[in-house]
Amino acid sequence: DLQMTQSPSSLSASVGDRVTITCRASQNINNYLNWYQQKPGKAPKLLIYAASSLESGVPSRFSGSGSGTYFTLTISSLQPEDVATYFCLQCDGVPYTFGQGTNLEIK
Amino acid sequence: QVQLVESGGGVVQPGGSLRLSCAASGFMFHYYGMHWVRQAPGKGLEWVAVISHDGSIKFFADSVKGRFTISRDNSKNTVFLQMVSLRPDDSAVYYCAKEVRRSDYYIPFEYWGQGTLVAVSA
């Protein structure tokens, strides 16, 4: 199966900081990469699809980039409400596989 | 708005069975394929199964193939996951999720439910 390696596994940053999370695919997945946010006790929420397309209603401080095997999720100015777990998903084909997740906290 | 509500989780002994349900609302259910995804305690997410909009196409993760079946009732806007021969490593929160296709891009998990907990333990 295609493996997704996400880093870091946890991250602590200050309000206003620029935060970057990365995902690497074990093989070329073109742009079949989505990013999700999950807050405790809540359903995961789609943030970014097709590697760089912002989902409707998601704040513009979130952005995604990359193609092939290397992808990033960036929060340009961290806000308190961004505390959550973030994970990537490759959707190049079944079985779909996820990154291990990044727990983001406010310093 | 889209709502997905899972039910049917609980505690079951190894070798036992459970049937999970996911009730959908807020969209034309019969137009969309549906997935099940699970997350074991303290672990990452694992895709489990998918069923096409009309139920004619189904795929399963290798870890559940032959033990889990997926089905849907479009008249009741509900998708099911029948689980048999359950093992302790099947213990997880099980989520259902709705797919969408936007232009040429397929998003398997556009919306997710809140999940239902399955615990397999003696």
Side-chain angles (χ1 to χ4, degrees):
Chain A
D1 296 348
L2 202 153
Q3 304 297 318
M4 300 301 296
T5 303
Q6 184 174 340
S7 62
S9 57
S10 64
L11 178 57
S12 182
S14 300
V15 172
D17 281 355
R18 183 181 183 87
V19 169
T20 299
I21 298 168
T22 66
C23 261
R24 290 183 185 271
S26 59
Q27 63 192 62
N28 183 5
I29 58 170
N30 296 298
N31 70 335
Y32 292 101
L33 190 286
N34 301 338
W35 290 98
Y36 294 84
Q37 176 193 65
Q38 186 176 26
K39 296 185 178 181
K42 299 287 191 179
K45 174 186 173 183
L46 177 65
L47 298 177
I48 302 285
Y49 65 95
S52 60
S53 295
L54 190 68
E55 176 69 348
S56 176
V58 173
S60 59
R61 62 181 179 274
F62 291 92
S63 65
S65 66
S67 184
T69 63
Y70 184 77
F71 303 87
T72 61
L73 172 71
T74 299
I75 307 173
S76 60
S77 178
L78 185 65
Q79 300 302 302
E81 60 267 31
D82 299 335
V83 170
T85 298
Y86 294 83
F87 52 91
C88 61
L89 163 76
Q90 72 78 17
C91 48
D92 189 39
V94 294
Y96 305 114
T97 48
F98 296 86
Q100 284 299 101
T102 296
N103 293 319
L104 177 58
E105 299 178 341
I106 298 290
K107 197 180 292 183
Chain B
Q1 74 278 24
V2 172
Q3 278 203 309
L4 300 170
V5 180
E6 301 93 339
S7 61
V11 180
V12 62
Q13 291 189 335
S17 302
L18 274 179
R19 188 172 88 149
L20 306 184
S21 300
C22 170
S25 60
F27 64 100
M28 302 289 278
F29 181 74
H30 59 279
Y31 281 159
Y32 295 95
M34 297 292 295
H35 297 258
W36 287 96
V37 178
R38 68 185 181 182
Q39 186 170 31
K43 299 289 181 76
L45 289 150
E46 180 187 18
W47 170 79
V48 173
V50 59
I51 185 167
S52 62
H53 67 98
D54 61 357
S56 63
I57 300 171
K58 306 171 186 180
F59 292 109
F60 298 90
D62 285 347
S63 58
V64 307
K65 207 171 288 183
R67 300 187 299 122
F68 290 13
T69 56
I70 188 171
S71 60
R72 64 191 295 159
D73 184 339
N74 285 347
S75 69
K76 295 181 179 177
N77 289 357
T78 302
V79 60
F80 304 98
L81 187 69
Q82 178 70 50
M83 306 184 295
V84 303
S85 302
L86 282 162
R87 311 185 300 221
D89 63 359
D90 293 316
S91 297
V93 175
Y94 283 74
Y95 298 96
C96 67
K98 168 192 174 290
E99 71 173 23
V100 70
R101 184 171 296 278
R102 296 180 182 168
S103 300
D104 290 336
Y105 194 83
Y106 177 69
I107 300 172
F109 319 127
E110 181 194 25
Y111 289 100
W112 303 56
Q114 301 273 17
T116 187
L117 180 62
V118 172
V120 184
S121 173

